[in-house]
Structures are given as C-alpha cells and as structure tokens.
Amino acid sequence: MKALLIVLLLLTVPGMLHSQEGVALVLSGGGARGLAHIGVLIALEEEGVPIRALAGTSMGALLSGLYACGYNASQLDSIARSVDWDHLFSSTPDARMALLPDRIRGRQDLITLNLRGLMPLIPSSAVSNMRAGLLLSSLTGPLQVQRGSSFDSLPIPLRVVAVDIPTCRRVMFRSGDLSRALLASMAIPAAFPAVRDGEMLLVDGGVFDNLPVDAAAKAWPDLPALAVDVGYTYPDSFPDEPSLLDMGSYVYDAMSKRVNDQHMIEPEWYFRPDLGDTKLWSFDSIDSLVQWGYTQTIDWLAQNPDIPRGAPPREPFTAPVYRLRNLLITGNSRVSFRAVNAWLLLERGDSILPGTVRDASEELYASNLFETLRFRLYPGDTADNVDIAFILKEKNPASLGIGLTYHSDYGLDGRITIDHRNTFNRAMTGIVSAGGGDRYAFLEGSLNTRAGQSYLRLEGSMHQIMAEEPCRDGTSPERIWADHHLSLSSGRTVSWFGLTETGVGWFGRRYSGFSREGFPAVFVRATADTRENPSAMAPGTSLSLGFSVSPQPSHRHNLFTWSFEGMADMGYGFISGMSTWGQILTGRNYSWQDSRNTSECSIPGYRWNTLPTRQRTAASVFLQHKLLGPVNAGLTSAATWDYESIRDPRDGDLHYGVGAYLQMNVPGGSAKLSVGLPDDGSIRWTVSMGSDYSFGPGR
C-alpha cells in the first residue's frame, strides 16, 4: 500500500507543479489592430494557458489593464463591440444629454476659434480622449477602491508603459490611478492629448517601447514571457501619393522604430498574427480582427505544445455596487458650484454602478462649460460606500465664429459671432452676432440661463436693409427699412427632445421717412426635435407650433404657425425627408408682418422676402446622398399655396420650385453650392460658407 501511494504521488506531483506554472503575457500597441488581442485572450482562455502577469503598451495596455482587473475575454469582447468608437473619440456632447435649447442654439461656422482673452487657441490634439477616460475610470475604479493603488494587488499583477516627454524616458507604471495610466499609454502624439501626471507629460508608450518584454522580465524574472505583437509593420513599398493619415503613420513608425529597438529583448514565445494591411484607425473592423486573433492563436498554440496549460475557466467579473458618501468638485474657478450642481445629477446615497458616474459625467459635459472632465473613486468610511472626485477643466468661455455667403442677386455678405458660454460666471450663454453685405447690416444678441429643467431667454435684434420689398399688389418698391425686436421668454424642457416656451415681446419696423410701426405680443411655443444635430440633415423628426396674440387696439391680431420635418435613413448613403410649414393669421396686422420666404422655409429659386401672404400652407420633399467622405449632394422640391382669407382657402396662388445642391463639411460647419429653378423660369444660385444664418434674416 505504501509503495502504491508513493507511485501515485510521483505521478501527480508533476501535474501539480505544471498547474502552478504560467506566463507573463505582453501585449503590444497597434491602435485598432490591438482589438485582435481580444481574440488572442479568448484562445488562451480556451486552451487554459495560465496568465500570471500582464504588461502592455497603448491598446495592449488598455486590454491588459481590464483583464488584470478581472474581466474575462468574453467580457472584453462585449465591451469592445458595445462601444461606439466614433463617439468614444468625439468631443461632441451626447444629444440625449444635451437638452433641446442647447442643441438648437448650435451654429455651423466656416471658422470657429476658441479665445483666451482676445487670442485664438490652437487645439491640443486631433481627437478627444475624455470619453475613453470616463469609460476606463468606470471599469477600473470600483476594483481599485477594494484593492488599493498598487497594480500588484490586482487579480493579475500588471505593468503599463508610457513615455515622459520632458525627460525623454520610458515610464513603467506599477501603482496609481489605473485609468490615467492606461490613458497615458495610449496617448498617440498629436492624435490624442498628452496626460499630465505631476511633473510628467505622458504620451503613448509605443514611442519608446511598443512591446514591453523587458518590463515584464524586470518585474517577474521567474515567469517566461509570451509576447503578442500587433504593431503596424513598416511597409516595404509606399504608394505614389500617400494620404495624410498614411504619412502620419509612416513618420510615427519610422521615428519610434529605432528607439524601440533599444528596449527590445527576445521573449520565450513571440507571436505576430497576420492582420493584413488593417490600419491603426480601423475600429470598424472589430469582427475580423477578433476572429483573426482567435483562429491564428489556436493554430499557433497547437504548434507550441511547450506553453503551459491547465488554468481553470476564468469567471466573469462583477463590479461591486457602492453608495455615494461625498461628492467633490475641483478645477472650476469661473463656473460656480451652483451651476455645476444644476447639471450633475448625483446625490448622497445614490447607488454607484459602472455606468452611473459615466452618465452623470456626460450630463455635466453637455453643459458645454468644460473642455474635459474626469472622475476618480476613493474609499469611503465603510466597505460599501465611496467618495467621488470630479476633476474639471473649464472651457475658455469665449469663441469667435465666421460665416460667409455669396448670392447671385445680392453679392457677398458675412457674419461674425461671439459666443460667451459663462457670462457673469453663472453658466449663462451670451451670443452676439453682427454682419451684413451690400445694402444690408444686422446686430443680434441673446442671453440664456438655465435653472434645472427651466430656461430664461432674453433676445434682441436690429436689421437695416435697402432693397426692393415685394407687396401683395404685385409692386416692388425700393425701400430702406429697419426691423427691431426685443423679447423675454421662459421655457421648460420636456425630456431631452422637447421644449415649451411662453414670453412677451415687442416687434417693430421703421421705414425711411416714415414713423415707426410696432406692436407688443404674448406668445406660446412648443418644440420637439429628435435629431441628434438639429442644424444638420440627420434622421429624426422635428415639430414646432407657435401661437401669439397682439393686444394692440389698432392692430389686434392672432397668429398661429407650424412647421414639421421628418427624415429617414434609407441606407446606402441616402437620407430622404419631407416637411410642411405655414401660418394662419386673423385680425388686423401690419402689412410688413405678412409671411414671406425665410432661409429655413423657402421655395428653391425664389428670392428672399418674396411671396407675401396672410395665409400659407407649404410642403417640400428632399433627398440627400453621401458621395465621398465629407461631400454630399441633394435634390429638393417645394410648393406653397398662398391665400388671403381662411374663409375661402381655395382662392389662392400656387408657387413651386426645384433645386439641387452640393455640400462639403468643413471643420467648422459646411460649404454649400445650391441652384434653384422656380416656376417663373428664373435661375438663382448661392454659395455659403458656414450656416445659412450668414445669409441674412430671411435671405
């Protein structure tokens, strides 16, 4: 019996020792190519390869960090597929967080410059990393609250590599805020902003060490290294006319390759999956990248039977749930705490899940008061509560916008807009626009403030124009006139897409050589818009209803207006839509109040302020197709039925027109060439740079 036990022990001990073996997994950077690491991890788990330590750079650091926190490969796959990568690297506030009054105030300028005082600012990077930081903080923060700041205390020990620009040295993170370390490691110079950490200014670790095998060897000398390299291979041949992105990639690879060689040591196992010519920014290729990583790793493991096996299946990670104890705000000097709290929808005692603080951050960012923001979780006084610190970087509150338009009838006109997002340091938005052209000038201003779901808006404008003014009797006398208005309105948001407003105002006009005419009005408006960007053609619907009453005894009248627009994505780059608009007017109004064409509601080819009428019902249909990159082409047609009395709507005039346009999105907004052919046989064309607002009121 004793001999049998000895034999059994000798047979089992090698297996026990083998099960304790493992590897230090080293994952390289490679941008979107790094998504292949997910397929590699799925294969390693499936084959039972025991991963005892992790080291990574850039995208390899990101996936290593999450894997070290306890997320298994299947969870990483789900996270990567659920991410909207365009949105992740975008600096545009989430449409469902930004309430409608903030979205419809957006302008599309030819040029928009942020100002510090009177000096324009140059952006620090091409792409924002804020949302990536929020995502990483939400995924890694809950575990660090439990385990502390040392990366050796994570379920799998970890090392993250970055580069400190001031000292020109490689930095190997082994403790601290894990999300910040991961963000620093993937901060590709010029593409992403550098990460400030004390005296260090950190960028992508791939600049010096894209495959940190030596970092793993120094940290865990007893563990053999298994290195997976998905870095972009420096090409043997180059295209005759490489694109801007291609040249940036070539230069970056050429500069970093020589430095990388200084840190490179041979791992025990080196694996480089074949990812073809997949680019660093091809995040839409996640399906093929994960599949390539998986299938090629399975084949490679079969050719390397000496790699340890025997690890049990990795259980999915479940993030702990905490209660919020304290909320800390830092970094705001111009924006008051009251303004911050109006946007940050978190209170003591709230349950803190990975998505909770991320959503609250998006809500705060939608205020448009901050350039970036981040958060960090800290342990509370008990195991089930946490403190949250929000670190804010305020936007420079002022921006300067420029728009230009050239019309075949009116020549060139332009607009300059100053937008101040934090007027009086109270999160009020002040906008002043001035401009003009041949025989035309204008000045417009507004001040908006928000208190929770409520808005208060003060608006005023003055426009002076010298032009022919068509009348209903068919004449078109040339006149000089000045329009002016001042209104105060109070609104309340309805969900993220709706707004109701009530207000009072004064509307007037003065003709050269004549006395001023004007009237007070009380108005009610209701607006709903489900498009993410109301200033661009995007799927969704918009509806606006308005009713105003003028109690002036000599010109008492009522006005009802409506506008509806619906757009749908037809696939294959096509967007189609239809709209209808019009008004019903009762009472005795001034003749200059009669409805005319506007830049928002017009008939292709008809001049601005033509077709005066008391009653109007109009409709249009349009089709837009994305041609190449930022270039779009579209067709539109519209018709209007104009009549004088609601008692006899059949006694009216029909006007219609068709048009075509070519539009190219430029950094600030859009450049647009449009041609219109109305039923009177004339042809008119317009070139606009920036938004239609530069085309003058009603032009």
Side-chain angles (χ1 to χ4, degrees), residues 406-412 438-439 605-608 610 682-686 695 699:
Y406 184 85
H407 193 279
S408 59
D409 279 349
Y410 318 118
L412 182 69
D438 182 26
R439 303 186 298 175
Y606 272 99
R607 301 176 59 177
W608 75 287
T610 56
S682 60
I683 298 178
R684 292 183 174 87
W685 55 272
T686 303
F695 191 29
R699 300 181 75 172

Side-chain angles (χ1 to χ4, degrees), residues 558-570:
N558 307 312
L559 177 65
F560 173 71
T561 61
W562 75 89
S563 175
F564 171 81
E565 188 171 65
M567 284 174 279
D569 188 344
M570 307 298 291

Side-chain angles (χ1 to χ4, degrees), residues 496-512:
W496 66 278
F497 56 82
L499 175 69
T500 59
E501 286 183 291
T502 58
V504 295
W506 173 267
F507 304 85
R509 170 175 287 193
R510 180 170 182 171
Y511 290 104
S512 177

